[in-house]
Amino acid sequence: MKNVGSDQQLGAAPPQPADGRTRQAVARLLLERGPVTAADVADELGLSHVAVRRHLDALLADGEATTRDAPTRGRRGRGRPAKLFLLTETGRSRFGHAYDDLAVAALRFLAESGGEQAVRAFAERRVEAMIERHRDAVTEPAQPAERAKALAAALTREGYASSSRHVGAGEQLCQHHCPVAHVAAEFPQLCEAETAAFADMLGVHVQRLATIARGDAACTTHVPVLPSQGKKTPNTTPPTPDGGELA
């Protein structure tokens, strides 16, 4: 039986790093053996069931793991079926993969065989497929500020951890995570196509201020808030002494 130690004592390391190492061990077991039950994890790693459930709950809360019911053999007894735990794509990403290298190699081949226009067409097709299904929800609000909030929610559902906040004369759309950042660092057409799609959905000209692909902390896009249409202009004509207006 493997034993990574208890949550309370893993060598002389401080509590938080030890806790992180234990969670990594739990995640790795889900990667290598999943789907598995919490009891299987506890037995394999030599941890208490309470400690394992705490780490599994944290992985579930972070979207790194998911569950499904264990298959039943024969007649099902009373009580809830056992839960099997397995990693999501987000959880798998903590262990790294070669997808980025494959994507870069594919786009290099596309650029060599079809030129930059082929890469641009691919980038446009990709972003269209990603956000087109959210078009109705994003374009329903009339104002760009509300559309920016709806777009942030849509991007979050696509894995970009996005938010929108009012800054100065507009909204600032922030993507705190970019699944294709390493690829976009070599092929900025991905970012350019994304920006153009945002402008189309929001109905205003937007400006990309920063990108993770260029080394910034987040992908930041400025969305200008236009003055309301049809707003009455205040009457600045000075009144006459009798309360009327000058001719």
Side-chain angles (χ1 to χ4, degrees), residues 49-62:
H49 286 217
V50 173
V52 166
R53 285 310 304 245
R54 180 165 61 83
H55 289 295
L56 289 173
D57 287 343
L59 291 170
L60 290 171
D62 291 341

Side-chain angles (χ1 to χ4, degrees), residues 100-101 103-105 107-109 111-112 119 180-191 213-214:
D100 285 351
D101 293 340
V104 168
L107 285 177
R108 284 174 181 168
F109 176 80
E112 292 171 2
V119 176
V180 297
H182 292 107
V183 183
E186 183 168 341
F187 294 96
Q189 295 94 329
L190 296 175
C191 298
R214 292 202 304 255

Side-chain angles (χ1 to χ4, degrees), residues 103 106-127 187-190 192-193:
L107 285 177
R108 284 174 181 168
F109 176 80
L110 186 62
E112 292 171 2
S113 58
E116 183 178 341
Q117 186 56 39
V119 176
R120 190 170 300 280
F122 168 82
E124 292 170 354
R125 178 74 62 87
R126 174 192 168 272
V127 73
F187 294 96
Q189 295 94 329
L190 296 175
E192 293 163 6

Side-chain angles (χ1 to χ4, degrees), residues 16-222:
Q16 187 57 40
D19 203 59
R21 286 200 303 274
T22 304
R23 189 158 305 160
Q24 184 77 356
V26 171
R28 179 170 291 281
L29 187 64
L30 297 188
L31 177 71
E32 297 174 350
R33 296 271 305 276
V36 292
T37 65
D40 291 335
V41 176
D43 291 344
E44 182 70 16
L45 298 180
L47 298 171
S48 71
H49 286 217
V50 173
V52 166
R53 285 310 304 245
R54 180 165 61 83
H55 289 295
L56 289 173
D57 287 343
L59 291 170
L60 290 171
D62 291 341
E64 294 189 45
T66 187
T67 64
R68 67 188 190 203
D69 291 341
T72 57
R73 295 181 177 86
R75 190 171 180 178
R76 181 174 164 182
R78 294 182 179 181
R80 285 185 270 181
K83 291 288 185 185
L84 295 176
F85 294 82
L86 61 160
L87 289 185
T88 62
E89 283 302 313
T90 300
R92 290 175 182 274
S93 67
R94 68 158 63 209
F95 297 99
H97 44 61
Y99 297 158
D100 285 351
D101 293 340
L102 178 63
V104 168
L107 285 177
R108 284 174 181 168
F109 176 80
L110 186 62
E112 292 171 2
S113 58
E116 183 178 341
Q117 186 56 39
V119 176
R120 190 170 300 280
F122 168 82
E124 292 170 354
R125 178 74 62 87
R126 174 192 168 272
V127 73
E128 179 183 354
M130 180 181 70
I131 65 175
E132 187 62 28
R133 56 180 168 270
H134 304 290
R135 179 174 289 275
D136 290 345
V138 173
T139 58
E140 182 179 3
Q143 297 300 321
E146 295 305 313
R147 288 189 175 189
K149 290 180 173 60
L151 179 57
L155 289 170
T156 295
R157 289 193 290 273
E158 295 292 338
Y160 284 78
S162 302
S163 63
S164 177
R165 65 191 180 101
H166 185 74
V167 176
E171 288 289 314
Q172 194 169 88
L173 179 67
C174 291
Q175 296 156 258
H176 305 283
H177 174 65
C178 177
V180 297
H182 292 107
V183 183
E186 183 168 341
F187 294 96
Q189 295 94 329
L190 296 175
C191 298
E192 293 163 6
E194 193 176 86
T195 304
F198 290 174
D200 175 57
M201 277 201 169
L202 298 176
V204 292
H205 175 74
V206 302
Q207 182 180 7
R208 184 59 65 90
L209 304 177
T211 63
I212 296 173
R214 292 202 304 255
D216 299 304
C219 297
T220 307
T221 305
H222 175 70

